[in-house]
Amino acid sequence: SQTIHQWPATLVQPVGSPLSLECTVEGTSNPNLYWYRQAAGRGLQLLFYSVGIGQISSEVPQNLSASRPQDRQFILSSKKLLLSDSGFYLCAWSVGDEQFFGPGTRLTVL
Amino acid sequence: GESVGLHLPTLSVQEGDNSIINCAYSNSASDYFIWYKQESGKGPQFIIDIRSNMDKRQGQRVTVLLNKTVKHLSLQIAATQPGDSAVYFCAENFGQNFVFGPGTRLSVLP
């Protein structure tokens, strides 16, 4: 069966610090991978998606970036965090139509 | 387009009653639709899906209705239980993209 992992589960970072969130998928090959952000009490905002290694599409211009160094690994990064980067970050994968989500990382930028 | 930054609407229902959660989607080319349930602090979980060649699909205690004419999707939950309290999102899929509605918070009253 397929499993998706995200870490860390929670993170508190100062403004201006770097960020690296990691997502890995098990039990599937060549999935589409996605990063979403969810502000408190709000809907899901697509940040990046990837259809293959090294292929990243950005949906929203911002100070975040994504990379896919391996087929089942998706990384979300920032060189300098902003207060507005606080939120719940969700990684998701899809093969075909269905999309499944990881447990999320709650990021608080102070 | 993208899920917008709206505060979540709330639906309150009495335990045992039926719930109906509505969603308007944006793209007439979308051919696959999903309902997700998200409990506090967790990632969204798949509930039920429907393809554009259908107008109704039933699961266990849940039914999804699709009206392509008005681009409307609904989720019906029969005999709502306390464990159904969560935020519910609809999503539309076209190509690689999943676009989410703003979500509805369902509160089940004892």
Side-chain angles (χ1 to χ4, degrees):
Chain A
S1 63
Q2 299 85 1
T3 309
I4 181 168
H5 301 279
Q6 278 186 251
W7 64 91
T10 59
L11 190 60
V12 180
Q13 292 283 102
V15 168
S17 64
L19 173 73
S20 180
L21 302 181
E22 189 161 345
C23 171
T24 60
V25 181
E26 295 176 1
T28 186
S29 296
N30 197 31
N32 292 337
L33 296 173
Y34 305 79
W35 278 111
Y36 292 90
R37 177 170 58 203
Q38 186 176 33
R42 299 195 174 185
L44 294 164
Q45 180 185 38
L46 179 63
L47 301 175
F48 300 96
Y49 71 91
S50 170
V51 299
I53 296 174
Q55 300 179 65
I56 308 294
S57 296
S58 175
E59 292 295 305
V60 182
Q62 59 215 326
N63 68 317
L64 300 172
S65 62
S67 62
R68 184 170 178 174
Q70 301 178 47
D71 181 46
R72 287 172 285 181
Q73 183 184 30
F74 205 23
I75 298 172
L76 183 69
S77 304
S78 175
K79 292 182 179 177
K80 287 186 178 182
L81 284 167
L82 306 173
L83 286 174
S84 58
D85 291 324
S86 293
F88 192 47
Y89 287 82
L90 289 155
C91 180
W93 71 273
S94 71
V95 174
D97 293 333
E98 295 184 24
Q99 187 179 56
F100 299 93
F101 287 84
T105 294
R106 184 161 303 282
L107 172 66
T108 303
V109 182
L110 302 175
Chain B
E2 295 293 337
S3 175
V4 296
L6 300 173
H7 290 281
L8 296 175
T10 298
L11 174 67
S12 296
V13 298
Q14 211 67 37
E15 182 178 353
D17 287 351
N18 297 334
S19 304
I20 300 176
I21 301 171
N22 296 304
C23 180
Y25 63 93
S26 58
N27 192 332
S28 56
S30 295
D31 57 7
Y32 180 64
F33 305 87
I34 313 167
W35 278 101
Y36 290 92
K37 173 185 179 182
Q38 186 178 24
E39 296 174 310
S40 180
K42 298 182 179 179
Q45 288 182 297
F46 174 95
I47 302 174
I48 191 168
D49 59 1
I50 189 168
R51 298 195 179 277
S52 60
N53 61 351
M54 302 171 67
D55 52 23
K56 181 179 180 179
R57 189 164 187 224
Q58 288 184 289
Q60 189 177 14
R61 278 201 312 120
V62 294
T63 301
V64 56
L65 299 177
L66 174 63
N67 185 330
K68 294 182 287 294
T69 303
V70 295
K71 292 191 286 187
H72 183 267
L73 198 65
S74 69
L75 177 70
Q76 300 178 4
I77 305 174
T80 311
Q81 302 169 1
D84 295 327
S85 292
V87 175
Y88 291 81
F89 293 97
C90 68
E92 58 182 306
N93 172 250
F94 47 95
Q96 313 290 354
N97 295 316
F98 291 83
V99 177
F100 288 80
T104 297
R105 184 179 302 281
L106 176 65
S107 295
V108 182
L109 308 173

